[in-house]
């Protein structure tokens, strides 16, 4: 009998009052439907009003850590790109 | 008019199902095929124990003899248990556990959907809470029955075997129980035979999808809900009640 390895799924959850889905971990499951159920058991404790996304880990393309200099460093020395010099009115203090 | 005793028995039948199946599912803890399924089974066991606690508390209150959930769970002997025989059968393998969960939770969803409108307000509230859990159990186990039935040759064989083994016990779900008509007339809950058609209408298509053959009905009858249990029940209770019987009335 052939034993199939269950693929890995990455789990993203939006909490009841949350604005966006946050990555919270991963699960092994044979398909998306079961991955959702498992993610619910493991990560939400079945709090109602949450939204779950599962994505098969193979489908995620990550940036290369070795390419960090060319990808991210150039942003650091161009401070004129950063909108940090504006004086904000008090009303929008929490931006 | 339904008597207090009929009302108590009716609630006990529902509560004992949850308690005994909850006990069975908890036996899987740490033994499931994969970690994720271990969690799901424990989760469902906890749901069922939670339902049992509420229902046994309600039954104890109706009975009016000062028995709380613990007394009812731990100090009744098997002849006083009112659960369906199906719930007390050994887990055997993953296929049998999943098929049982599907057959039972489908029944439970139908029953609880009706109990939500019960004239017993407390029972209605318990049903409302439990129904959400039962729907999840039904979906989860139904998915697995399809997956296993329509899986490999070996998983198909085991799932068909599970269905053949469990099927005769499902006749008991719908067997008339004493006092049930009075319960139905008082609007407390349905007589369980009223649920048979809807149950069959859900179970058969799913089994077809799972490429399984539903066996024909046979004259076999089980009588758990009348207090006449299989040989497995005594062992289950011996394990479950050991501590309470050794040190009665301890605080825990």
């Amino acid at each position: 009998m052939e034993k199939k390895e269950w693929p890995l799924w990455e789990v993203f959850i939006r909490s009841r009052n949350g604005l966006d889905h946050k990555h919270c971990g991963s699960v092994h499951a044979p398909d998306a439907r079961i991955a959702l159920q498992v993610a619910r058991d493991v990560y939400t404790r079945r709090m109602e009003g949450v939204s779950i996304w599962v994505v098969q880990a193979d489908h995620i393309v990550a940036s290369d850590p070795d390419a960090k200099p060319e990808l991210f460093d150039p942003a650091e020395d161009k401070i004129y790109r950063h909108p940090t010099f504006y004086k904000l009115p008090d009303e929008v203090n929490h931006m | 008019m339904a008597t207090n005793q009929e009302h108590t028995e009716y609630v006990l039948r529902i509560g004992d199902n949850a308690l005994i199946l909850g006990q069975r599912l908890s036996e899987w803890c740490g033994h499931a095929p994969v970690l994720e399924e271990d969690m799901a089974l424990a989760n469902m066991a906890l749901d069922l124990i939670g339902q049992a606690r509420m229902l046994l508390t309600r039954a104890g209150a109706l009975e009016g003899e000062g028995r709380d959930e613990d007394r009812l769970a731990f100090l009744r002997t098997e002849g006083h248990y009112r659960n369906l025989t199906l719930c007390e059968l050994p887990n055997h393998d993953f296929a049998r556990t999943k098929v049982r969960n599907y057959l039972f939770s489908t029944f439970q969803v139908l029953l609880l959907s009706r109990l939500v409108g019960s004239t017993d307000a407390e029972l209605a509230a318990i049903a409302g809470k439990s129904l959400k859990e039962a729907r999840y159990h039904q979906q989860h186990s139904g998915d697995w029955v399809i997956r296993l039935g329509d899986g490999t040759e070996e998983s198909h064989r085991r799932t068909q075997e599970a269905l053949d083994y469990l099927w005769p016990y499902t006749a008991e779900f719908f067997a008339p129980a004493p006092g049930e008509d009075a319960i139905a007339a008082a609007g407390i809950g349905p007589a369980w035979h009223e649920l048979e058609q809807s149950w069959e209408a859900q179970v058969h298509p799913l089994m077809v999808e799972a490429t399984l053959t539903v066996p024909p009905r046979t004259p076999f009858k089980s009588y758990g809900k009348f207090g006449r249990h299989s040989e497995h029940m005594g062992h289950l209770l011996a394990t479950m009640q050991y501590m309470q019987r050794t040190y009665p009335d301890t605080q825990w």
Side-chain angles (χ1 to χ4, degrees):
Chain A
M1 194 183 73
E2 184 193 5
K3 259 195 180 167
K4 287 211 177 98
E5 196 60 50
W6 286 11
L8 190 70
W9 299 77
E10 299 299 334
V11 181
F12 299 79
I13 292 187
R14 184 168 66 74
S15 63
R16 197 196 302 243
N17 300 316
L19 293 172
D20 44 16
H21 288 74
K22 291 198 169 70
H23 181 243
C24 60
S26 49
V27 293
H28 284 278
D31 64 23
R33 216 179 133 89
I34 291 193
L36 274 178
Q37 295 189 8
V38 169
R40 188 206 71 148
D41 284 344
V42 178
Y43 294 112
T44 70
R45 295 269 161 189
R46 289 181 291 156
M47 289 274 286
E48 275 151 296
V50 301
S51 162
I52 307 178
W53 291 346
V54 289
V55 183
Q56 208 175 315
D58 296 357
H59 293 173
I60 293 177
V61 181
S63 60
D64 179 1
D66 292 337
K68 214 173 144 227
E70 56 268 39
L71 282 178
F72 306 114
D73 289 354
E76 273 172 26
D77 54 12
K78 297 186 190 65
I79 51 167
Y80 49 85
R81 286 183 174 176
H82 304 178
T84 47
F85 304 103
Y86 302 100
K87 247 200 143 62
L88 289 173
D90 287 344
E91 290 78 8
V92 287
N93 227 359
H94 296 297
M95 259 181 88
Chain B
M1 199 57 208
T3 65
N4 231 26
Q5 197 205 341
E6 287 164 344
H7 194 166
T8 308
E9 291 266 326
Y10 188 82
V11 176
L12 273 183
R13 283 200 283 277
I14 306 164
D16 286 349
N17 284 338
L19 178 65
I20 299 303
L21 187 57
Q23 172 76 10
R24 277 293 182 223
L25 292 187
S26 71
E27 292 170 9
W28 272 104
C29 196
H31 297 274
V34 290
L35 179 67
E36 283 81 358
E37 212 38 52
D38 209 80
M39 295 209 47
L41 282 164
N43 205 335
M44 288 185 252
L46 285 168
D47 285 345
L48 288 165
I49 301 287
Q51 294 169 18
R53 294 188 60 182
M54 295 185 287
L55 289 159
L56 292 187
T57 301
R58 178 67 185 137
L62 285 165
E63 185 189 49
E65 286 173 23
R67 293 204 285 183
D68 62 3
E69 47 176 320
D70 282 344
R71 286 202 156 278
L72 285 169
F74 295 124
L75 295 173
R76 270 184 302 160
T77 47
E78 82 177 75
H80 294 101
Y81 265 89
R82 295 286 176 261
N83 57 286
L84 296 163
T85 309
L86 181 103
C87 298
E88 79 210 27
L89 299 173
N91 292 327
H92 188 65
D93 62 7
F94 191 62
R96 194 182 288 178
T97 297
K98 287 292 153 185
V99 173
R100 168 171 53 196
N101 276 6
Y102 177 71
L103 296 173
F104 176 74
S105 58
T106 303
F107 173 75
Q108 212 195 9
V109 166
L110 292 166
L111 177 61
L112 294 169
S113 310
R114 293 281 298 273
L115 291 177
V116 168
S118 173
T119 50
D120 174 347
E122 202 166 317
L123 186 58
I126 296 169
K129 189 168 151 42
S130 314
L131 181 58
K132 297 181 209 170
E133 297 169 345
R135 283 205 177 108
Y136 171 73
H137 300 186
Q138 185 190 17
Q139 187 195 44
H140 187 94
S141 56
D143 281 358
W144 270 109
V145 172
I146 295 170
R147 173 168 309 284
L148 293 170
D150 195 14
T152 64
E153 215 173 289
E154 172 70 1
S155 74
H156 176 85
R157 183 186 68 74
R158 284 178 182 238
T159 316
Q160 182 64 55
E161 216 172 80
L163 184 61
D164 292 344
Y165 176 80
L166 294 168
W167 188 253
Y169 292 97
T170 61
E172 187 188 333
F173 294 7
F174 312 107
E180 230 177 11
D181 293 333
I183 292 294
I188 294 165
W192 291 6
H193 67 81
E194 293 169 35
L195 309 171
E196 184 165 10
Q197 268 193 331
S198 335
W199 184 82
E200 297 250 354
Q202 288 190 39
V203 169
H204 284 272
L206 186 118
M207 293 306 168
V208 170
E209 200 182 337
T211 72
L212 299 169
T213 312
V214 176
R217 285 275 174 221
T218 59
F220 173 83
K221 292 265 187 299
S222 55
Y223 296 95
K225 70 180 180 188
F226 307 104
R228 284 153 59 195
H229 292 277
S230 71
E231 70 272 28
H232 307 293
M233 185 67 173
H235 296 279
L236 183 149
L237 291 182
T239 306
M240 191 175 92
Q241 299 181 334
Y242 166 77
M243 193 61 97
Q244 199 46 245
R245 297 224 178 253
T246 312
Y247 304 101
D249 292 325
T250 37
Q251 297 290 311
W252 63 292

